[in-house]
Amino acid sequence: MKITRRQLRRLISESMYDPMHGVKSLEEPYRGKIMTVLDDPDASPADRTQFHQLADTVTDYKDPRPGMPDDSMAGVKAQQEGYLSNAAAEIETYLPGFLNLPKDIIDAVVEFVFLSKNPVLHILLDEDMVEHEFSEDVHYRGTHFQEIQKPENAEAVAMMNDIRRNPKSHDVKFYYIYAAHSTYEGVDPFSRIDPQGFGDAQNGFFDGFFGEYKKVTTAQKYVIDPYSFDQAFIKIMRDLRPGHEEEVIN
């Protein structure tokens, strides 16, 4: 059954929460003993996973919904993988060859697009494109201090203000990306794929994500014209994560 993009976003978001079904079903003293590990900030991820699975095993928890995967800790992980696979396939429709990227990069992009908190695209206005589209002096008349004082330039000023203040209302062709930031599980997803190892999200987006994508894309326009890649990613966010923020910084 095909699901809509809105349903996919909701399913992915909901599936990322640890339901802790098995733990909640435990009685004392077992629940208290397991929770001492799960609540321990020094416990390793492997230990936490092991104790979640132990709780599922002790309670013999199974998802009561017919036809759904096992909703134990292991089952939820399998379900998540299915949702994330669908999410990656959605991105592939905008960036051909995306699924050929290394898994860590695919994961970082999917986390940014579908799962992260407060995603922001810091974007730059392509002044040449604005002048090409409207007139060769509209940017000058609409932004330079002496020009914006002239009554005859009021329309140009209003247009340039709107293009800057309301970028999501305008075509992606007027913009390109300076940086992309968000938070997922306390970390900026793109900072994890910085090939230089500095944990810099901007490096992760351009040198990690775009750098690797150029090697695997089946659409050469993204290699020839980097702006095409930026604009495709802006469109991804507008279509798949419409609640994101866009901030023009020039």
Side-chain angles (χ1 to χ4, degrees):
M1 179 181 70
K2 184 174 177 59
I3 61 176
T4 66
R5 288 169 174 168
R6 177 173 295 185
Q7 290 172 323
L8 178 61
R9 289 196 302 270
R10 178 178 58 80
L11 287 170
I12 293 172
S13 179
E14 291 176 353
S15 77
M16 290 299 109
Y17 291 101
D18 175 13
M20 291 184 65
H21 288 300
V23 176
K24 291 177 181 177
S25 301
L26 282 173
E27 296 181 356
E28 296 295 348
Y30 305 108
R31 181 175 180 176
K33 291 180 178 180
I34 287 178
M35 288 305 299
T36 58
V37 175
L38 299 182
D39 289 338
D40 183 357
D42 296 325
S44 69
D47 286 342
R48 289 196 181 96
T49 297
Q50 183 179 15
F51 274 76
H52 271 296
Q53 292 173 341
L54 175 62
D56 293 340
T57 300
V58 170
T59 58
D60 194 29
Y61 181 83
K62 298 293 180 184
D63 189 337
R65 296 169 294 175
M68 293 298 291
D70 174 15
D71 204 16
S72 65
M73 189 67 175
V76 167
K77 285 186 176 180
Q79 197 174 52
Q80 289 173 2
E81 287 298 322
Y83 291 147
L84 295 179
S85 177
N86 288 338
E90 285 283 349
I91 296 173
E92 167 85 14
T93 63
Y94 296 84
L95 294 173
F98 176 77
L99 295 177
N100 297 328
L101 283 165
K103 185 177 184 303
D104 62 331
I105 293 180
I106 292 176
D107 289 347
V109 177
V110 168
E111 288 168 5
F112 183 93
V113 174
F114 287 96
L115 304 173
S116 65
K117 294 181 181 179
N118 305 317
V120 180
L121 297 182
H122 302 284
I123 56 179
L124 295 162
L125 181 64
D126 186 345
E127 300 166 2
D128 291 337
M129 178 58 72
V130 170
E131 297 203 338
H132 173 76
E133 188 73 13
F134 299 106
S135 72
E136 63 182 24
D137 64 347
V138 68
H139 181 268
Y140 178 78
R141 291 187 294 110
T143 59
H144 285 250
F145 179 76
Q146 291 183 337
E147 294 297 315
I148 64 177
Q149 312 302 318
K150 299 176 180 178
E152 62 268 28
N153 289 334
E155 185 177 347
V157 172
M159 185 181 71
M160 292 306 305
N161 285 342
D162 193 60
I163 288 177
R164 280 203 168 93
R165 295 171 183 170
N166 303 296
K168 291 167 76 172
S169 300
H170 297 276
D171 197 297
V172 297
K173 67 184 177 183
F174 295 121
Y175 309 98
Y176 56 99
I177 294 174
Y178 176 78
H181 293 290
S182 67
T183 303
Y184 177 64
E185 295 186 345
V187 179
D188 192 316
F190 287 123
S191 69
R192 292 193 289 100
I193 56 172
D194 174 7
Q196 299 179 36
F198 297 126
D200 184 278
Q202 191 176 33
N203 288 343
F205 183 86
F206 289 106
D207 298 338
F209 178 23
F210 181 51
E212 289 298 318
Y213 180 69
K214 288 189 293 184
K215 301 175 184 177
V216 301
T217 181
T218 56
Q220 285 301 303
K221 69 176 182 178
Y222 297 118
V223 178
I224 298 169
D225 178 16
Y227 283 7
S228 295
F229 173 83
D230 289 5
Q231 290 155 5
F233 193 77
I234 295 171
K235 185 164 177 55
I236 286 170
M237 294 302 292
R238 290 183 181 184
D239 289 352
L240 303 183
R241 189 70 183 272
H244 77 290
E245 182 181 348
E246 292 179 16
E247 179 185 4
V248 178
I249 62 174
N250 67 332

